[in-house]
Amino acid sequence: QVQLVESGGGLVQAGASLRLSCEASGITLRIYPMGWFRQAPGKEREFVAGIGWSGGNTGYADSVKGRFTISRDNAANSGYLEMNKLKPEDTAVYYCAAARTRPYSNMWYDLASEYTYWGHGTQVTVSS
């Protein structure tokens, strides 16, 4: 059974940092591009960051560029999202995802439809 499990969310004040983790089981995560998405109440799910399978190619939404860093540890079958200088508008449920149909692709993908496997999300709340 394939599982992606996010962790590391929480309630923080504006300006703080959080590090989200995504651990995979039942899937060789390390060969697939990964992405992080988020969904705020009343809004559609949106792309946050993506990373190719080797970790050498990354992309970000304009709203988080310069503040968030996506990375992965293929030996640990895990991915991460380092979030700095958090803002109230970053409040959302954050999801990690894997693009199973794109093995060994070093591209990053900003469309949710590219991703096959999804975690259940972790809540990030940033107070002002």
Side-chain angles (χ1 to χ4, degrees):
Q1 181 182 0
V2 175
Q3 278 192 315
L4 298 180
V5 180
E6 302 94 339
S7 62
L11 171 62
V12 297
Q13 289 190 327
S17 298
L18 282 174
R19 186 182 193 231
L20 305 184
S21 298
C22 175
E23 296 188 11
S25 60
I27 179 177
T28 308
L29 184 64
R30 60 182 174 271
I31 70 172
Y32 302 116
M34 285 184 59
W36 286 91
F37 289 73
R38 66 186 182 187
Q39 187 166 17
K43 295 187 177 181
E44 293 192 353
R45 191 172 297 190
E46 65 174 1
F47 170 77
V48 175
I51 188 168
W53 84 275
S54 70
N57 194 21
T58 59
Y60 299 90
D62 288 342
S63 59
V64 306
K65 203 171 291 183
R67 298 188 297 123
F68 290 13
T69 303
I70 187 172
S71 62
R72 63 192 306 161
D73 182 346
N74 284 346
N77 219 31
S78 297
Y80 308 96
L81 185 68
E82 184 78 31
M83 305 186 297
N84 298 316
K85 299 179 182 178
L86 283 161
K87 304 175 181 180
E89 50 263 45
D90 294 319
T91 295
V93 177
Y94 283 72
Y95 301 88
C96 69
R100 187 181 66 84
T101 60
R102 304 284 187 179
Y104 298 108
S105 172
N106 260 323
M107 293 181 63
W108 53 271
Y109 302 95
D110 60 3
L111 292 177
S113 58
E114 291 285 354
Y115 295 89
T116 311
Y117 296 121
W118 292 83
H120 292 293
T122 185
Q123 176 71 47
V124 172
T125 303
V126 185
S127 63
S128 57

mmCIF file of all heavy atoms in Angstrom, residues 52-85:
data_model
loop_
_atom_site.group_PDB
_atom_site.id
_atom_site.type_symbol
_atom_site.label_atom_id
_atom_site.label_comp_id
_atom_site.label_asym_id
_atom_site.label_seq_id
_atom_site.Cartn_x
_atom_site.Cartn_y
_atom_site.Cartn_z
ATOM 1 N N GLY A 52 12.789 17.676 -9.218
ATOM 2 C CA GLY A 52 13.029 16.511 -10.046
ATOM 3 C C GLY A 52 13.557 15.339 -9.235
ATOM 4 O O GLY A 52 13.890 15.480 -8.055
ATOM 5 N N TRP A 53 13.665 14.195 -9.873
ATOM 6 C CA TRP A 53 13.980 12.991 -9.119
ATOM 7 C C TRP A 53 15.348 13.042 -8.460
ATOM 8 O O TRP A 53 15.526 12.548 -7.352
ATOM 9 C CB TRP A 53 13.868 11.752 -10.010
ATOM 10 C CG TRP A 53 15.111 11.466 -10.813
ATOM 11 C CD1 TRP A 53 15.461 11.999 -12.015
ATOM 12 C CD2 TRP A 53 16.181 10.581 -10.446
ATOM 13 N NE1 TRP A 53 16.662 11.498 -12.437
ATOM 14 C CE2 TRP A 53 17.126 10.626 -11.494
ATOM 15 C CE3 TRP A 53 16.415 9.750 -9.355
ATOM 16 C CZ2 TRP A 53 18.296 9.883 -11.467
ATOM 17 C CZ3 TRP A 53 17.587 8.997 -9.324
ATOM 18 C CH2 TRP A 53 18.519 9.075 -10.373
ATOM 19 N N SER A 54 16.319 13.651 -9.097
ATOM 20 C CA SER A 54 17.662 13.680 -8.527
ATOM 21 C C SER A 54 17.853 14.814 -7.534
ATOM 22 O O SER A 54 18.869 14.860 -6.833
ATOM 23 C CB SER A 54 18.702 13.806 -9.635
ATOM 24 O OG SER A 54 18.640 15.091 -10.226
ATOM 25 N N GLY A 55 16.903 15.736 -7.496
ATOM 26 C CA GLY A 55 17.016 16.855 -6.566
ATOM 27 C C GLY A 55 17.715 18.069 -7.133
ATOM 28 O O GLY A 55 17.805 19.104 -6.482
ATOM 29 N N GLY A 56 18.213 17.964 -8.368
ATOM 30 C CA GLY A 56 18.995 19.053 -8.921
ATOM 31 C C GLY A 56 18.191 20.142 -9.595
ATOM 32 O O GLY A 56 18.725 21.186 -9.958
ATOM 33 N N ASN A 57 16.921 19.931 -9.786
ATOM 34 C CA ASN A 57 16.072 20.901 -10.480
ATOM 35 C C ASN A 57 14.845 21.180 -9.633
ATOM 36 O O ASN A 57 14.102 20.270 -9.283
ATOM 37 C CB ASN A 57 15.655 20.341 -11.839
ATOM 38 C CG ASN A 57 15.063 21.397 -12.740
ATOM 39 O OD1 ASN A 57 15.285 22.590 -12.552
ATOM 40 N ND2 ASN A 57 14.300 20.971 -13.729
ATOM 41 N N THR A 58 14.657 22.455 -9.282
ATOM 42 C CA THR A 58 13.536 22.823 -8.422
ATOM 43 C C THR A 58 12.793 24.012 -9.003
ATOM 44 O O THR A 58 13.345 24.793 -9.790
ATOM 45 C CB THR A 58 14.014 23.184 -7.005
ATOM 46 O OG1 THR A 58 14.934 24.289 -7.086
ATOM 47 C CG2 THR A 58 14.704 22.012 -6.332
ATOM 48 N N GLY A 59 11.535 24.140 -8.622
ATOM 49 C CA GLY A 59 10.728 25.262 -9.058
ATOM 50 C C GLY A 59 9.764 25.671 -7.962
ATOM 51 O O GLY A 59 9.387 24.834 -7.120
ATOM 52 N N TYR A 60 9.363 26.947 -7.965
ATOM 53 C CA TYR A 60 8.533 27.488 -6.895
ATOM 54 C C TYR A 60 7.446 28.391 -7.440
ATOM 55 O O TYR A 60 7.610 29.042 -8.482
ATOM 56 C CB TYR A 60 9.405 28.307 -5.930
ATOM 57 C CG TYR A 60 10.489 27.500 -5.269
ATOM 58 C CD1 TYR A 60 11.750 27.385 -5.851
ATOM 59 C CD2 TYR A 60 10.250 26.837 -4.062
ATOM 60 C CE1 TYR A 60 12.747 26.626 -5.259
ATOM 61 C CE2 TYR A 60 11.244 26.078 -3.462
ATOM 62 C CZ TYR A 60 12.482 25.983 -4.070
ATOM 63 O OH TYR A 60 13.464 25.225 -3.481
ATOM 64 N N ALA A 61 6.358 28.451 -6.702
ATOM 65 C CA ALA A 61 5.350 29.463 -6.971
ATOM 66 C C ALA A 61 5.942 30.830 -6.635
ATOM 67 O O ALA A 61 6.762 30.951 -5.718
ATOM 68 C CB ALA A 61 4.109 29.204 -6.125
ATOM 69 N N ASP A 62 5.519 31.840 -7.347
ATOM 70 C CA ASP A 62 6.051 33.182 -7.108
ATOM 71 C C ASP A 62 5.812 33.636 -5.672
ATOM 72 O O ASP A 62 6.629 34.359 -5.096
ATOM 73 C CB ASP A 62 5.407 34.179 -8.075
ATOM 74 C CG ASP A 62 5.913 34.010 -9.494
ATOM 75 O OD1 ASP A 62 6.972 33.380 -9.685
ATOM 76 O OD2 ASP A 62 5.240 34.513 -10.420
ATOM 77 N N SER A 63 4.719 33.192 -5.087
ATOM 78 C CA SER A 63 4.354 33.642 -3.752
ATOM 79 C C SER A 63 5.293 33.135 -2.669
ATOM 80 O O SER A 63 5.327 33.691 -1.568
ATOM 81 C CB SER A 63 2.924 33.214 -3.431
ATOM 82 O OG SER A 63 2.797 31.800 -3.496
ATOM 83 N N VAL A 64 6.064 32.081 -2.958
ATOM 84 C CA VAL A 64 6.946 31.516 -1.941
ATOM 85 C C VAL A 64 8.411 31.593 -2.343
ATOM 86 O O VAL A 64 9.291 31.243 -1.535
ATOM 87 C CB VAL A 64 6.580 30.049 -1.626
ATOM 88 C CG1 VAL A 64 5.107 29.932 -1.250
ATOM 89 C CG2 VAL A 64 6.926 29.123 -2.778
ATOM 90 N N LYS A 65 8.685 32.051 -3.542
ATOM 91 C CA LYS A 65 10.055 32.087 -4.035
ATOM 92 C C LYS A 65 10.920 32.956 -3.122
ATOM 93 O O LYS A 65 10.536 34.060 -2.742
ATOM 94 C CB LYS A 65 10.060 32.636 -5.462
ATOM 95 C CG LYS A 65 11.256 32.242 -6.287
ATOM 96 C CD LYS A 65 11.051 32.645 -7.754
ATOM 97 C CE LYS A 65 9.973 31.827 -8.416
ATOM 98 N NZ LYS A 65 9.817 32.157 -9.844
ATOM 99 N N GLY A 66 12.073 32.410 -2.744
ATOM 100 C CA GLY A 66 12.973 33.140 -1.859
ATOM 101 C C GLY A 66 12.714 32.887 -0.383
ATOM 102 O O GLY A 66 13.535 33.243 0.468
ATOM 103 N N ARG A 67 11.574 32.275 -0.062
ATOM 104 C CA ARG A 67 11.254 31.988 1.346
ATOM 105 C C ARG A 67 11.199 30.478 1.619
ATOM 106 O O ARG A 67 11.541 30.047 2.721
ATOM 107 C CB ARG A 67 9.896 32.593 1.715
ATOM 108 C CG ARG A 67 9.841 34.105 1.587
ATOM 109 C CD ARG A 67 8.536 34.654 2.165
ATOM 110 N NE ARG A 67 7.361 34.170 1.449
ATOM 111 C CZ ARG A 67 6.358 33.508 2.020
ATOM 112 N NH1 ARG A 67 6.373 33.254 3.313
ATOM 113 N NH2 ARG A 67 5.317 33.110 1.294
ATOM 114 N N PHE A 68 10.763 29.706 0.643
ATOM 115 C CA PHE A 68 10.618 28.268 0.799
ATOM 116 C C PHE A 68 11.705 27.539 -0.002
ATOM 117 O O PHE A 68 12.119 28.003 -1.070
ATOM 118 C CB PHE A 68 9.250 27.792 0.287
ATOM 119 C CG PHE A 68 8.070 28.213 1.128
ATOM 120 C CD1 PHE A 68 8.173 29.176 2.124
ATOM 121 C CD2 PHE A 68 6.829 27.636 0.903
ATOM 122 C CE1 PHE A 68 7.078 29.559 2.881
ATOM 123 C CE2 PHE A 68 5.718 28.001 1.653
ATOM 124 C CZ PHE A 68 5.849 28.971 2.635
ATOM 125 N N THR A 69 12.113 26.385 0.517
ATOM 126 C CA THR A 69 13.096 25.550 -0.168
ATOM 127 C C THR A 69 12.630 24.109 -0.142
ATOM 128 O O THR A 69 12.382 23.546 0.935
ATOM 129 C CB THR A 69 14.474 25.657 0.494
ATOM 130 O OG1 THR A 69 14.904 27.020 0.515
ATOM 131 C CG2 THR A 69 15.494 24.824 -0.279
ATOM 132 N N ILE A 70 12.526 23.516 -1.316
ATOM 133 C CA ILE A 70 12.165 22.109 -1.416
ATOM 134 C C ILE A 70 13.449 21.294 -1.554
ATOM 135 O O ILE A 70 14.412 21.710 -2.196
ATOM 136 C CB ILE A 70 11.225 21.854 -2.613
ATOM 137 C CG1 ILE A 70 10.704 20.417 -2.610
ATOM 138 C CG2 ILE A 70 11.907 22.194 -3.938
ATOM 139 C CD1 ILE A 70 9.617 20.151 -3.653
ATOM 140 N N SER A 71 13.459 20.131 -0.923
ATOM 141 C CA SER A 71 14.619 19.251 -1.016
ATOM 142 C C SER A 71 14.152 17.819 -0.849
ATOM 143 O O SER A 71 12.973 17.562 -0.567
ATOM 144 C CB SER A 71 15.662 19.611 0.053
ATOM 145 O OG SER A 71 15.128 19.427 1.356
ATOM 146 N N ARG A 72 15.078 16.901 -1.035
ATOM 147 C CA ARG A 72 14.735 15.507 -0.871
ATOM 148 C C ARG A 72 15.959 14.730 -0.426
ATOM 149 O O ARG A 72 17.095 15.142 -0.682
ATOM 150 C CB ARG A 72 14.176 14.927 -2.181
ATOM 151 C CG ARG A 72 15.141 14.909 -3.348
ATOM 152 C CD ARG A 72 14.418 14.588 -4.655
ATOM 153 N NE ARG A 72 13.659 13.346 -4.536
ATOM 154 C CZ ARG A 72 12.663 12.999 -5.345
ATOM 155 N NH1 ARG A 72 12.281 13.812 -6.316
ATOM 156 N NH2 ARG A 72 12.037 11.852 -5.181
ATOM 157 N N ASP A 73 15.708 13.643 0.255
ATOM 158 C CA ASP A 73 16.763 12.717 0.666
ATOM 159 C C ASP A 73 16.376 11.359 0.095
ATOM 160 O O ASP A 73 15.562 10.646 0.667
ATOM 161 C CB ASP A 73 16.850 12.672 2.192
ATOM 162 C CG ASP A 73 17.963 11.748 2.678
ATOM 163 O OD1 ASP A 73 18.488 10.954 1.873
ATOM 164 O OD2 ASP A 73 18.300 11.822 3.866
ATOM 165 N N ASN A 74 16.942 11.049 -1.049
ATOM 166 C CA ASN A 74 16.522 9.822 -1.736
ATOM 167 C C ASN A 74 16.919 8.573 -0.966
ATOM 168 O O ASN A 74 16.240 7.548 -1.054
ATOM 169 C CB ASN A 74 17.078 9.802 -3.156
ATOM 170 C CG ASN A 74 16.312 10.729 -4.081
ATOM 171 O OD1 ASN A 74 15.216 11.190 -3.754
ATOM 172 N ND2 ASN A 74 16.890 11.031 -5.225
ATOM 173 N N ALA A 75 17.984 8.662 -0.211
ATOM 174 C CA ALA A 75 18.370 7.508 0.598
ATOM 175 C C ALA A 75 17.322 7.214 1.668
ATOM 176 O O ALA A 75 17.115 6.068 2.051
ATOM 177 C CB ALA A 75 19.728 7.750 1.244
ATOM 178 N N ALA A 76 16.674 8.270 2.131
ATOM 179 C CA ALA A 76 15.656 8.120 3.167
ATOM 180 C C ALA A 76 14.251 8.016 2.599
ATOM 181 O O ALA A 76 13.286 7.909 3.357
ATOM 182 C CB ALA A 76 15.726 9.302 4.138
ATOM 183 N N ASN A 77 14.159 8.074 1.256
ATOM 184 C CA ASN A 77 12.837 7.993 0.619
ATOM 185 C C ASN A 77 11.900 9.088 1.131
ATOM 186 O O ASN A 77 10.703 8.858 1.364
ATOM 187 C CB ASN A 77 12.203 6.618 0.867
ATOM 188 C CG ASN A 77 11.459 6.075 -0.345
ATOM 189 O OD1 ASN A 77 11.826 6.347 -1.487
ATOM 190 N ND2 ASN A 77 10.413 5.313 -0.106
ATOM 191 N N SER A 78 12.442 10.281 1.288
ATOM 192 C CA SER A 78 11.694 11.374 1.906
ATOM 193 C C SER A 78 11.905 12.682 1.166
ATOM 194 O O SER A 78 12.885 12.843 0.442
ATOM 195 C CB SER A 78 12.134 11.566 3.361
ATOM 196 O OG SER A 78 11.856 10.417 4.130
ATOM 197 N N GLY A 79 10.976 13.584 1.384
ATOM 198 C CA GLY A 79 11.083 14.921 0.848
ATOM 199 C C GLY A 79 10.793 15.944 1.919
ATOM 200 O O GLY A 79 10.214 15.613 2.971
ATOM 201 N N TYR A 80 11.199 17.200 1.673
ATOM 202 C CA TYR A 80 11.081 18.238 2.689
ATOM 203 C C TYR A 80 10.693 19.567 2.055
ATOM 204 O O TYR A 80 10.947 19.814 0.878
ATOM 205 C CB TYR A 80 12.423 18.401 3.422
ATOM 206 C CG TYR A 80 12.960 17.087 3.939
ATOM 207 C CD1 TYR A 80 13.902 16.378 3.193
ATOM 208 C CD2 TYR A 80 12.503 16.548 5.130
ATOM 209 C CE1 TYR A 80 14.375 15.155 3.634
ATOM 210 C CE2 TYR A 80 12.979 15.326 5.579
ATOM 211 C CZ TYR A 80 13.906 14.635 4.823
ATOM 212 O OH TYR A 80 14.362 13.419 5.257
ATOM 213 N N LEU A 81 10.085 20.396 2.880
ATOM 214 C CA LEU A 81 9.795 21.766 2.479
ATOM 215 C C LEU A 81 10.172 22.662 3.646
ATOM 216 O O LEU A 81 9.518 22.641 4.686
ATOM 217 C CB LEU A 81 8.318 21.952 2.116
ATOM 218 C CG LEU A 81 7.951 23.326 1.574
ATOM 219 C CD1 LEU A 81 8.588 23.554 0.199
ATOM 220 C CD2 LEU A 81 6.436 23.500 1.492
ATOM 221 N N GLU A 82 11.246 23.419 3.472
ATOM 222 C CA GLU A 82 11.688 24.381 4.478
ATOM 223 C C GLU A 82 10.975 25.689 4.198
ATOM 224 O O GLU A 82 11.068 26.228 3.092
ATOM 225 C CB GLU A 82 13.199 24.576 4.386
ATOM 226 C CG GLU A 82 13.778 25.488 5.439
ATOM 227 C CD GLU A 82 13.919 24.814 6.795
ATOM 228 O OE1 GLU A 82 14.142 23.589 6.828
ATOM 229 O OE2 GLU A 82 13.797 25.517 7.810
ATOM 230 N N MET A 83 10.269 26.197 5.203
ATOM 231 C CA MET A 83 9.476 27.410 5.030
ATOM 232 C C MET A 83 9.966 28.471 5.999
ATOM 233 O O MET A 83 9.921 28.259 7.220
ATOM 234 C CB MET A 83 7.993 27.121 5.274
ATOM 235 C CG MET A 83 7.442 25.988 4.415
ATOM 236 S SD MET A 83 5.666 25.755 4.572
ATOM 237 C CE MET A 83 5.552 25.309 6.300
ATOM 238 N N ASN A 84 10.450 29.557 5.469
ATOM 239 C CA ASN A 84 10.967 30.664 6.278
ATOM 240 C C ASN A 84 10.120 31.916 6.056
ATOM 241 O O ASN A 84 9.413 32.029 5.052
ATOM 242 C CB ASN A 84 12.423 30.935 5.904
ATOM 243 C CG ASN A 84 13.325 29.753 6.192
ATOM 244 O OD1 ASN A 84 13.241 29.129 7.250
ATOM 245 N ND2 ASN A 84 14.189 29.427 5.244
ATOM 246 N N LYS A 85 10.248 32.840 6.993
ATOM 247 C CA LYS A 85 9.533 34.119 6.915
ATOM 248 C C LYS A 85 8.053 33.890 6.593
ATOM 249 O O LYS A 85 7.503 34.508 5.663
ATOM 250 C CB LYS A 85 10.186 35.012 5.862
ATOM 251 C CG LYS A 85 11.641 35.338 6.164
ATOM 252 C CD LYS A 85 12.254 36.210 5.069
ATOM 253 C CE LYS A 85 13.715 36.498 5.355
ATOM 254 N NZ LYS A 85 14.347 37.311 4.284
#
